[in-house]
Amino acid sequence: MTTPSISRYPVPKLEDLPEDIKARILEVQEKAGFIPNVFLTLAHRPAEWRAFFAYHDALMGKEGGLTKAEREMIVVATSGANGCVYCIVAHGAILRVYAKNALVADQVAANYRKADITPRQKAMLAFALKVAQNSNAIGDEDFAALREHGFTDEDIWDIGAIAAFFALSNRMANLISMRPNDEFFLLGRLPKPR
Amino acid sequence: MTTPSISRYPVPKLEDLPEDIKARILEVQEKAGFIPNVFLTLAHRPAEWRAFFAYHDALMGKEGGLTKAEREMIVVATSGANGCVYCIVAHGAILRVYAKNALVADQVAANYRKADITPRQKAMLAFALKVAQNSNAIGDEDFAALREHGFTDEDIWDIGAIAAFFALSNRMANLISMRPNDEFFLLGRLPKPR
Amino acid sequence: MTTPSISRYPVPKLEDLPEDIKARILEVQEKAGFIPNVFLTLAHRPAEWRAFFAYHDALMGKEGGLTKAEREMIVVATSGANGCVYCIVAHGAILRVYAKNALVADQVAANYRKADITPRQKAMLAFALKVAQNSNAIGDEDFAALREHGFTDEDIWDIGAIAAFFALSNRMANLISMRPNDEFFLLGRLPKPR
Amino acid sequence: MTTPSISRYPVPKLEDLPEDIKARILEVQEKAGFIPNVFLTLAHRPAEWRAFFAYHDALMGKEGGLTKAEREMIVVATSGANGCVYCIVAHGAILRVYAKNALVADQVAANYRKADITPRQKAMLAFALKVAQNSNAIGDEDFAALREHGFTDEDIWDIGAIAAFFALSNRMANLISMRPNDEFFLLGRLPKPR
Amino acid sequence: MTTPSISRYPVPKLEDLPEDIKARILEVQEKAGFIPNVFLTLAHRPAEWRAFFAYHDALMGKEGGLTKAEREMIVVATSGANGCVYCIVAHGAILRVYAKNALVADQVAANYRKADITPRQKAMLAFALKVAQNSNAIGDEDFAALREHGFTDEDIWDIGAIAAFFALSNRMANLISMRPNDEFFLLGRLPKPR
Amino acid sequence: MTTPSISRYPVPKLEDLPEDIKARILEVQEKAGFIPNVFLTLAHRPAEWRAFFAYHDALMGKEGGLTKAEREMIVVATSGANGCVYCIVAHGAILRVYAKNALVADQVAANYRKADITPRQKAMLAFALKVAQNSNAIGDEDFAALREHGFTDEDIWDIGAIAAFFALSNRMANLISMRPNDEFFLLGRLPKPR
């Protein structure tokens, strides 16, 4: 039985990677228990890898008005609209973990309007999907709708920028046929053992 | 804590349902261990319920050139295109069980082109999605493409009819905000214990 | 001169059909003066035929807040959006007969906004078309808009379910290239002789 | 009972119109037995009226490789795509008369792929619909496909120009809510009495 | 080095054209300093040429509530939506000249919402784009929105008719691959020398 | 007279920026003669700024099978599809400079099929637009089509990654209403003085 390919492009071996990239990957592996494929597949181009993860960290790891689970909801909803298997599966897993909710990721990926989320979060995802699909039509009325839910302009930048960054990320994953690790499919679905 | 509603419309109690409907539901409960919400929510209209499940059974339970897993793939792929949470989640579970594959349902729901399925199955799903989204343009060339993969005309009726039936089913679920049972989310994801 | 085919698939002869199907078809023929092709073409699959007409009858023949003409308007408008020749022509004829109006079917098939119908009926068709084309986005505001026109929640189920059933029906007709009987094209266009 | 309006805009009386316009309208009335509403509604703007009918006549009345019925098919198919009630109904009638065929107009308006027309005519309508809906993507391969059916480059100009002219015409009719005369709905549907 | 073709079709020589067409072209050449290619390429069909320019002049040269620059904005915005290189470039140049503004044409062609124009002009272009792209859905509420900005019903006819005429014009240019003159690209971009 | 805003968000002053960002901006200003607004507007978020320009430089400044002008064509074509005024205008200018061609940017922004570019470049832009608009459907056949034009797999990554990066960039510019500098509109349109 063969292992399915995780990219159309050559995937570098961990030991052949530049030190900074290798260090970050080992750190992720330590924490997650496995190396998410995005770290290895994009390392085919180290300069792009560094920019990609710097951007990712700037948006997903920062403090601000959005919770970590809300940031992942934006990723899952817009990746659903873009038909990106990697991001739906991998970020769906992270969303389940952050939200401590085994159901919400599958709901948001399929149709956020039917998900177990707040009206504020639905407004956030409506905006994110407009940035993802129809950003040329974003206008003052869209900002106003979010402000009514208490989002600040910095929060709105976060929402839009995450949708924009995953517009890039989804396209790269679709381009290279990036495959999600098998581990992600089950992650966060089972109650924590005590 | 409140239980989330499973339908916009009143949901009948099992004991109040006509005998034939109750009998079928008890049979399903016996087999599955729980009552899938579609059986209760649609029972708000018994005559439609009977037609719905008669149609479902005629298409999904029959013998023919498509495996049961392939029939469920059609459901999951077209429900993904229609943004139907209930059908993606419930039939995704059934697909995992029939295919004995914990990954394929999430792949097919997101983007069948990147799923671990055969080229024949990809051709089947391309046809099913054309029926789901653009049936007015179905023509001889679409039949020819499936025949090249060995599908008979009766198989093609099956593919098209399943896509057509779930065009109905997805719209009903979206109309009434049908909620998938929590059990479906995890079903078929864990290896069978021995 | 050859008779054009009424289906891509074999069309059973009336005398070869199961008794229950034959009986219903003879009844329709008695009433209409001819056998609408949908009764013969779908009889290629008796189990699906029974479910199809049971569903049809449950939705189109019942009592309720919608008139029979309004039910047919929903069929004609959504079939227009789906490019289904059979349903536009056959149900256009039935609409003309029920509405006692020779013009309304062609108007509704082309663009309901310009039809000789009431604002309440235009709201009904806007909802039906959203179910037909974009059911994933149906939400509370759509229900509210219909309630303002006096529709009950049961009426709304009727509207949505008819749109959903003809989502199935249109796809089947497009799949098998179902041809409308020549009789339908003229039916209901001439004033009744006295 | 009130007569429905035939335009959102004021409709001039025949006797108030400039002589050249009045003369043409009387000629049409003589021939058709009634005045098609497009002649009166567009006469609200005489200069535009003159250009409109000069263009119409240059395309629809000329000699060339397309029959008159084929020209009307292009009008009906593209007007169907544009949701223009006036043009579907009025030109549908003219198509029935020219083609001496009571069925073809309703078929072409709904879905030309299922109409009783030749493969050459289907290729013609596929091209016309691409001009109507997606003209920016017209390329050499589209010209090549028509040449294979024996169309000359002048025929192709005709096809494209008719689709382009009715892109204008459909938009004007939709803008002013132009209503087709009741006479058009039945025209060409009955066998000629002998 | 070869001169690029300005049309897929034969381009008549000025001296071979009918007198009325030649006279108009010489007049334009006198004024503009060159012959815009649309005058030569469409002259392949003199009868259509005469109707085309009669229509153009009736809409673009008349008095009314819209300024000449506003009329050109409508052309540029709708031509942008239709992907018509000729009309974007040629009418972009004319817009720059009429508006005495070197920036506005490129802005409007790309996304009118971000252009240096008034809210009234943005409402005008939103309506024009709806006529261009979705005229079947134009309704009372669209008229009401323009009236709130002070547009009269005659102004609205102008806006809609210009969008409709360039629906035709863009399709003809795309059909024949009409090439804009090199002169248009720079016209109106430089401050007038004194 | 007021200067139009270049962003919805606060724009930092050059002197307040971190040293590394300030240094890069001064270098660009030195070379271009002005500071492109993207450098100042995105500096509202320094961490994102650094990742953005690192990504930009990794894709646009590298060696490889695509010329610099070809890279800019991809930006201009996909930004046209996304309705991004900033990127069309700014990268249109850069394209004119790199291609030493005053016409090509306006052509590619409007409709690459009608641009003065090679068939190889048209294939490149067709792929880039599929990544921009429909990346979920990218498949082997798209790679094969580019390989037939001599593109290597690394070239294809470049094409796809540039389209993906500007999917992000266009969305950020639309989100914050980034305004192109006036200088860009004219840049590269005039022959170099000698």
Side-chain angles (χ1 to χ4, degrees):
Chain A
M1 215 184 99
T2 60
T3 310
S5 165
I6 65 170
S7 170
R8 283 178 182 276
Y9 284 84
V11 180
K13 289 187 183 154
L14 187 56
E15 58 266 29
D16 298 338
L17 287 171
E19 279 310 311
D20 60 321
I21 294 180
K22 190 158 61 178
R24 168 72 184 273
I25 291 179
L26 289 171
E27 184 191 348
V28 170
Q29 187 180 28
E30 174 73 25
K31 196 171 158 192
F34 63 95
I35 303 174
N37 289 335
V38 65
F39 285 91
L40 290 175
T41 57
L42 292 188
H44 176 59
R45 296 260 184 114
E48 297 171 35
W49 188 101
R50 289 185 187 102
F52 183 91
F53 286 103
Y55 220 132
H56 175 276
D57 295 351
L59 291 170
M60 303 303 284
K62 70 188 284 283
E63 298 298 305
L66 307 181
T67 66
K68 285 194 170 184
E70 284 169 344
R71 289 168 202 269
E72 296 297 332
M73 277 179 205
I74 296 169
V75 180
V76 172
T78 59
S79 299
N82 290 328
C84 177
V85 175
Y86 186 88
C87 295
I88 294 170
V89 171
H91 288 271
I94 304 173
L95 170 53
R96 286 189 295 271
V97 170
Y98 284 151
K100 298 183 201 309
N101 180 324
L103 311 184
V104 69
D106 293 348
Q107 294 167 344
V108 165
N111 190 346
Y112 76 90
R113 295 172 196 83
K114 312 290 188 186
D116 297 333
I117 58 177
T118 64
R120 183 179 181 273
Q121 289 167 337
K122 289 186 185 178
M124 174 187 81
L125 295 181
F127 184 89
L129 282 164
K130 189 165 181 182
V131 171
Q133 299 185 298
N134 204 19
S135 74
N136 67 313
I138 290 282
D140 294 344
E141 66 286 5
D142 300 301
F143 277 69
L146 287 188
R147 286 185 198 119
E148 275 184 30
H149 283 282
F151 289 106
T152 67
D153 281 9
E154 292 304 314
D155 295 337
I156 300 176
W157 178 304
D158 283 349
I159 299 168
I162 294 169
F165 177 72
F166 282 88
L168 178 161
S169 183
N170 292 170
R171 281 162 181 77
M172 287 307 301
N174 278 331
L175 177 72
I176 71 172
S177 287
M178 194 189 296
R179 181 185 173 84
N181 307 57
D182 291 3
E183 289 87 342
F184 281 126
F185 289 79
L186 190 59
L187 203 67
R189 294 189 183 276
L190 297 171
K192 277 273 176 55
R194 321 187 202 186
Chain B
M1 214 182 102
T2 62
T3 310
S5 165
I6 65 171
S7 170
R8 283 178 181 278
Y9 284 84
V11 181
K13 290 187 182 155
L14 187 55
E15 59 266 30
D16 299 338
L17 287 171
E19 279 310 311
D20 61 322
I21 294 180
K22 190 158 61 178
R24 168 73 184 274
I25 291 178
L26 289 171
E27 184 190 350
V28 171
Q29 187 180 27
E30 175 73 25
K31 196 172 157 193
F34 63 95
I35 304 173
N37 289 335
V38 65
F39 286 92
L40 290 174
T41 57
L42 291 188
H44 176 60
R45 296 261 184 114
E48 296 170 37
W49 187 100
R50 289 186 187 100
F52 183 92
F53 287 102
Y55 220 132
H56 175 277
D57 296 351
L59 291 170
M60 304 303 285
K62 72 188 282 284
E63 298 298 305
L66 307 181
T67 66
K68 286 195 168 183
E70 284 168 346
R71 289 168 201 269
E72 297 296 333
M73 276 179 206
I74 296 168
V75 181
V76 172
T78 59
S79 300
N82 290 328
C84 177
V85 175
Y86 186 89
C87 295
I88 295 170
V89 171
H91 288 272
I94 304 173
L95 170 52
R96 286 190 295 270
V97 170
Y98 283 151
K100 297 184 202 311
N101 180 324
L103 310 186
V104 69
D106 293 347
Q107 293 167 344
V108 165
N111 190 345
Y112 77 90
R113 294 173 197 82
K114 312 291 188 185
D116 296 334
I117 58 177
T118 65
R120 184 179 181 272
Q121 290 168 335
K122 289 185 186 178
M124 175 187 80
L125 294 181
F127 185 89
L129 282 164
K130 190 166 181 181
V131 172
Q133 299 185 296
N134 202 20
S135 75
N136 67 313
I138 290 282
D140 293 345
E141 66 285 6
D142 300 301
F143 277 70
L146 288 188
R147 286 186 198 118
E148 275 184 31
H149 283 281
F151 290 105
T152 66
D153 281 8
E154 293 304 315
D155 295 337
I156 300 177
W157 177 304
D158 284 348
I159 299 167
I162 293 169
F165 177 73
F166 282 89
L168 178 161
S169 184
N170 292 171
R171 281 162 179 77
M172 286 307 301
N174 279 330
L175 177 72
I176 71 171
S177 286
M178 194 188 295
R179 181 185 173 84
N181 307 58
D182 291 4
E183 289 87 343
F184 281 126
F185 289 80
L186 190 58
L187 204 67
R189 294 189 183 275
L190 297 170
K192 275 275 174 54
R194 320 186 206 187
Chain C
M1 217 185 99
T2 61
T3 310
S5 165
I6 64 171
S7 171
R8 282 178 181 278
Y9 284 84
V11 180
K13 289 187 183 157
L14 188 56
E15 58 266 29
D16 298 339
L17 287 171
E19 279 310 311
D20 61 322
I21 294 181
K22 189 158 61 177
R24 168 72 184 273
I25 291 179
L26 288 171
E27 183 190 349
V28 170
Q29 186 180 29
E30 175 73 25
K31 194 172 158 191
F34 63 96
I35 304 174
N37 289 335
V38 65
F39 287 91
L40 291 174
T41 57
L42 291 188
H44 177 59
R45 296 259 184 116
E48 296 170 36
W49 187 101
R50 289 187 187 100
F52 183 92
F53 286 103
Y55 220 132
H56 175 276
D57 296 350
L59 291 170
M60 304 303 284
K62 70 187 285 280
E63 297 299 305
L66 307 181
T67 67
K68 286 195 167 182
E70 284 170 344
R71 289 168 201 268
E72 296 297 332
M73 277 179 206
I74 296 169
V75 180
V76 172
T78 59
S79 300
N82 290 328
C84 177
V85 175
Y86 186 89
C87 295
I88 294 170
V89 171
H91 288 273
I94 304 173
L95 170 53
R96 286 190 294 271
V97 170
Y98 283 152
K100 298 183 201 310
N101 180 324
L103 310 186
V104 69
D106 293 347
Q107 293 166 344
V108 166
N111 190 344
Y112 76 89
R113 295 172 196 82
K114 312 290 188 185
D116 297 333
I117 58 177
T118 64
R120 183 178 181 272
Q121 290 168 335
K122 289 185 186 179
M124 175 187 80
L125 296 180
F127 185 89
L129 283 164
K130 189 165 181 182
V131 172
Q133 300 185 297
N134 203 19
S135 74
N136 67 313
I138 290 281
D140 293 344
E141 65 286 5
D142 300 301
F143 277 69
L146 287 188
R147 286 185 199 120
E148 275 183 30
H149 284 281
F151 289 106
T152 66
D153 280 9
E154 293 304 315
D155 295 337
I156 300 176
W157 178 304
D158 283 349
I159 299 168
I162 294 169
F165 177 72
F166 282 88
L168 178 160
S169 184
N170 292 169
R171 281 163 180 76
M172 287 306 301
N174 279 331
L175 177 72
I176 71 172
S177 286
M178 193 188 296
R179 181 185 173 83
N181 307 58
D182 291 4
E183 289 86 343
F184 281 125
F185 289 79
L186 191 58
L187 203 67
R189 293 189 183 276
L190 297 171
K192 276 272 174 55
R194 319 187 203 185
Chain D
M1 213 183 102
T2 61
T3 309
S5 166
I6 64 171
S7 170
R8 283 179 181 277
Y9 283 84
V11 180
K13 289 187 182 155
L14 187 57
E15 59 266 31
D16 298 338
L17 288 171
E19 278 311 312
D20 61 321
I21 294 180
K22 189 158 62 177
R24 169 72 185 273
I25 292 178
L26 289 171
E27 184 190 350
V28 171
Q29 186 180 29
E30 175 72 24
K31 196 171 156 192
F34 63 94
I35 304 173
N37 290 334
V38 65
F39 286 92
L40 290 174
T41 57
L42 291 188
H44 176 59
R45 296 262 185 113
E48 295 170 37
W49 187 100
R50 290 186 187 101
F52 183 92
F53 286 103
Y55 220 131
H56 175 276
D57 296 351
L59 290 170
M60 304 303 284
K62 71 188 283 283
E63 298 298 305
L66 307 181
T67 66
K68 286 196 167 181
E70 285 169 345
R71 291 168 200 269
E72 297 296 333
M73 277 179 206
I74 296 169
V75 180
V76 172
T78 58
S79 300
N82 291 327
C84 177
V85 175
Y86 186 88
C87 295
I88 294 170
V89 171
H91 288 272
I94 304 173
L95 170 51
R96 286 190 294 270
V97 170
Y98 282 151
K100 297 184 202 309
N101 181 324
L103 311 185
V104 69
D106 293 347
Q107 294 167 343
V108 165
N111 190 345
Y112 77 90
R113 295 174 197 81
K114 311 291 187 185
D116 297 333
I117 58 177
T118 64
R120 184 179 181 272
Q121 289 167 337
K122 289 185 186 178
M124 175 187 81
L125 294 181
F127 185 89
L129 282 165
K130 189 165 181 183
V131 172
Q133 299 184 296
N134 203 20
S135 74
N136 67 313
I138 290 282
D140 293 346
E141 66 284 7
D142 300 301
F143 277 70
L146 287 188
R147 285 185 198 117
E148 274 183 32
H149 283 281
F151 290 105
T152 67
D153 281 9
E154 294 303 316
D155 296 337
I156 300 176
W157 178 303
D158 284 348
I159 298 168
I162 293 169
F165 177 72
F166 281 89
L168 179 161
S169 184
N170 292 171
R171 281 162 180 77
M172 286 307 301
N174 278 331
L175 176 72
I176 71 171
S177 287
M178 194 188 295
R179 181 184 172 84
N181 307 58
D182 291 3
E183 289 86 343
F184 281 126
F185 288 80
L186 191 58
L187 203 67
R189 294 190 182 273
L190 297 170
K192 274 276 174 52
R194 316 187 207 187
Chain E
M1 215 185 100
T2 61
T3 310
S5 165
I6 64 171
S7 170
R8 282 179 182 277
Y9 284 84
V11 180
K13 289 188 183 155
L14 187 57
E15 58 266 30
D16 298 338
L17 287 171
E19 279 310 310
D20 61 320
I21 294 180
K22 190 157 62 177
R24 169 72 185 274
I25 292 179
L26 289 171
E27 184 191 349
V28 170
Q29 185 179 31
E30 175 73 24
K31 196 171 158 191
F34 63 96
I35 304 173
N37 289 336
V38 65
F39 286 92
L40 290 174
T41 57
L42 291 188
H44 177 60
R45 296 260 184 113
E48 296 170 37
W49 187 102
R50 288 185 188 103
F52 183 92
F53 286 103
Y55 220 131
H56 175 276
D57 296 351
L59 290 170
M60 303 303 284
K62 71 187 284 283
E63 298 299 305
L66 307 182
T67 66
K68 286 195 167 181
E70 284 169 344
R71 289 167 202 269
E72 296 297 333
M73 277 179 206
I74 296 169
V75 180
V76 172
T78 58
S79 300
N82 290 328
C84 178
V85 175
Y86 186 88
C87 295
I88 294 170
V89 171
H91 288 273
I94 304 173
L95 170 52
R96 286 190 294 271
V97 170
Y98 283 152
K100 297 183 201 312
N101 180 325
L103 311 185
V104 69
D106 292 348
Q107 293 167 343
V108 165
N111 190 345
Y112 77 88
R113 294 173 197 80
K114 311 291 187 184
D116 297 333
I117 58 178
T118 64
R120 183 179 181 272
Q121 290 167 336
K122 289 184 185 178
M124 174 186 81
L125 295 181
F127 185 90
L129 283 164
K130 189 165 182 183
V131 172
Q133 300 185 296
N134 203 19
S135 74
N136 68 313
I138 289 281
D140 294 345
E141 66 285 6
D142 300 301
F143 278 70
L146 288 188
R147 285 184 199 120
E148 273 183 31
H149 283 281
F151 290 106
T152 67
D153 281 9
E154 293 304 315
D155 295 337
I156 300 176
W157 178 304
D158 284 349
I159 298 168
I162 293 169
F165 177 72
F166 282 89
L168 178 160
S169 184
N170 292 170
R171 281 161 180 77
M172 287 307 300
N174 278 331
L175 177 72
I176 70 171
S177 286
M178 194 188 295
R179 181 186 173 84
N181 307 58
D182 291 4
E183 289 87 343
F184 281 125
F185 289 80
L186 191 58
L187 203 67
R189 294 190 183 275
L190 297 170
K192 277 273 175 55
R194 319 187 205 185
Chain F
M1 214 183 102
T2 61
T3 310
S5 165
I6 64 172
S7 170
R8 283 179 181 277
Y9 283 84
V11 180
K13 288 187 185 157
L14 187 56
E15 59 266 29
D16 298 338
L17 288 171
E19 279 311 310
D20 61 321
I21 294 181
K22 189 158 61 177
R24 168 73 185 274
I25 291 178
L26 289 171
E27 184 190 351
V28 171
Q29 186 181 30
E30 174 73 25
K31 196 170 158 193
F34 62 96
I35 304 173
N37 289 335
V38 64
F39 286 92
L40 290 174
T41 57
L42 291 188
H44 176 59
R45 296 259 185 115
E48 296 169 37
W49 187 101
R50 289 187 187 99
F52 183 92
F53 286 102
Y55 219 132
H56 175 276
D57 296 350
L59 290 170
M60 304 302 285
K62 71 188 283 283
E63 298 299 303
L66 307 182
T67 65
K68 286 195 168 182
E70 284 169 345
R71 289 167 201 268
E72 297 295 334
M73 277 179 206
I74 296 168
V75 181
V76 172
T78 59
S79 301
N82 290 328
C84 177
V85 175
Y86 186 89
C87 295
I88 294 170
V89 171
H91 288 272
I94 304 173
L95 170 53
R96 286 189 294 270
V97 170
Y98 282 151
K100 297 184 202 310
N101 180 324
L103 311 185
V104 70
D106 293 347
Q107 294 167 342
V108 165
N111 190 346
Y112 77 90
R113 295 173 196 81
K114 312 291 188 185
D116 297 333
I117 58 178
T118 64
R120 184 179 181 272
Q121 290 167 336
K122 290 184 185 179
M124 175 186 81
L125 294 181
F127 185 89
L129 283 164
K130 190 166 181 182
V131 172
Q133 299 184 296
N134 203 21
S135 75
N136 67 313
I138 290 281
D140 293 345
E141 66 284 7
D142 300 301
F143 277 70
L146 288 188
R147 286 185 198 118
E148 274 183 31
H149 284 281
F151 290 105
T152 66
D153 281 8
E154 294 303 316
D155 296 337
I156 300 176
W157 178 303
D158 283 350
I159 298 168
I162 294 169
F165 178 72
F166 282 89
L168 178 161
S169 183
N170 292 170
R171 281 162 180 77
M172 286 307 301
N174 279 330
L175 176 72
I176 69 171
S177 286
M178 195 188 295
R179 181 185 172 83
N181 307 58
D182 291 4
E183 288 87 343
F184 281 126
F185 288 80
L186 190 58
L187 203 68
R189 294 189 182 275
L190 297 171
K192 275 275 174 53
R194 316 187 207 185

